[in-house]
Amino acid sequence: MLFYATDYDPLQEQELVILAEQQKVEGIICLSYNPDLKVSENVPLVSIDRYFGAQIPCVASDNYSGGRLAAEKLVENGCRNLAFMRIGSRLTNEPNKRKDGFVNACEAMNIPYTLKIVEDGSPYSAFEQFLQEHMSEGKLAFDGIFCVTDSLAHQIINSLKNMGIRVPEDVQIIGFDGAQYFGDLEYYCSTIVQPLEDIAETCVSIVLQEQPSRLASLVCLPVHYAYGGTTRR
């Protein structure tokens, strides 16, 4: 097995795909948001989260249900004005469905919501400005926030603390991923947990099939909510 981590460097990703092909690998499992990534049609490919095409299997958590669950949990905990915050790629990918599920749930419950979506590469200050624009007399307009990742939730929580906003007393926050560590920093937040081990095992199982391209184009695995201290329960 060859294992490569590129920190989403698109040039390095392409170089490593070429290297893997030169090593005559029997299949590639890929987590990439590089819009220009090229993989030989002769090498079976399984993608995590990203849609490459109908003939390439994609394995993902149930992002749509996770977005719905986040909105429903915030409302269950007493929130009545929600915000969704996201930074991500324009590419067609499964994590985009987190917003769709969140919006659908809010509209079904007749709960007001506001979206703040910025593209990869944008400065984090765009979120700080958004929060400041929705402050009035020391209070935030929202009492519940769903962040598209735990990492973004961590940054938002720190910004709110600097603004004098308490979490979860003044605003409750839910992230997405189920991550517990960022580098050497241990951190917990209420979150929608992805079945990471199941995703990995499913990818391996698919890539070892004789003809993975004939399998379902999307394999969607269930998520669940986990309390982590940034909500009331």
Side-chain angles (χ1 to χ4, degrees):
M1 181 183 72
L2 302 174
F3 179 83
Y4 301 126
T6 66
D7 198 25
Y8 301 106
D9 181 327
L11 294 178
Q12 190 176 30
E13 285 180 1
Q14 188 63 69
E15 290 173 358
L16 292 175
V17 166
I18 294 172
L19 177 61
E21 293 172 346
Q22 291 173 342
Q23 296 293 323
K24 300 187 184 303
V25 297
E26 296 181 38
I28 295 176
I29 297 171
C30 176
L31 173 57
S32 171
Y33 294 103
N34 174 10
D36 301 317
L37 187 69
K38 305 296 182 184
V39 180
S40 171
E41 294 181 358
N42 298 322
V43 180
L45 174 67
V46 177
S47 171
I48 298 176
D49 277 345
R50 176 182 165 189
Y51 181 79
F52 275 89
Q55 301 303 312
I56 298 176
C58 174
V59 179
S61 61
D62 191 343
N63 291 277
Y64 181 86
S65 293
R68 285 189 59 91
L69 180 57
E72 291 167 354
K73 183 59 65 172
L74 289 169
V75 172
E76 179 184 320
N77 285 343
C79 298
R80 293 296 177 265
N81 190 1
L82 305 184
F84 170 83
M85 307 181 78
R86 177 187 186 274
I87 185 167
S89 169
R90 289 193 222 174
L91 293 173
T92 299
N93 59 70
E94 288 300 302
N96 289 343
K97 296 179 181 178
R98 298 173 189 179
K99 174 186 73 74
D100 299 335
F102 175 83
V103 168
N104 182 279
C106 288
E107 293 181 348
M109 295 182 292
N110 198 29
I111 294 294
Y113 63 91
T114 303
L115 306 177
K116 180 59 179 178
I117 300 173
V118 302
E119 295 178 8
D120 280 337
S122 300
Y124 173 75
S125 58
F127 291 111
E128 293 183 323
Q129 181 179 348
F130 171 78
L131 293 172
Q132 291 289 352
E133 289 172 350
H134 289 86
M135 285 283 292
S136 178
E137 298 180 353
K139 293 184 178 181
L140 188 66
F142 317 114
D143 54 7
I145 298 175
F146 173 42
C147 295
V148 76
T149 64
D150 290 342
S151 179
L152 179 58
H154 177 53
Q155 293 176 291
I156 295 299
I157 289 165
N158 285 336
S159 293
L160 290 172
K161 288 180 178 178
N162 291 334
M163 295 164 59
I165 303 297
R166 301 171 301 168
V167 178
E169 293 85 355
D170 300 325
V171 59
Q172 300 181 65
I173 296 180
I174 294 178
F176 197 115
D177 284 333
Q180 294 183 340
Y181 299 92
F182 301 110
D184 59 357
L185 175 66
E186 183 176 342
Y187 175 73
Y188 295 89
C189 70
S190 298
T191 185
I192 305 301
V193 181
Q194 298 194 80
L196 299 182
E197 290 188 6
D198 291 343
I199 290 174
E201 291 175 0
T202 301
C203 286
V204 172
S205 176
I206 291 175
V207 83
L208 292 178
Q209 298 290 320
E210 290 187 5
Q211 294 180 311
S213 63
R214 293 190 177 183
L215 302 176
S217 59
L218 176 62
V219 178
C220 210
L221 301 176
V223 298
H224 68 273
Y225 169 78
Y227 169 77
T230 57
T231 52
R232 291 177 185 166
R233 59 183 183 276

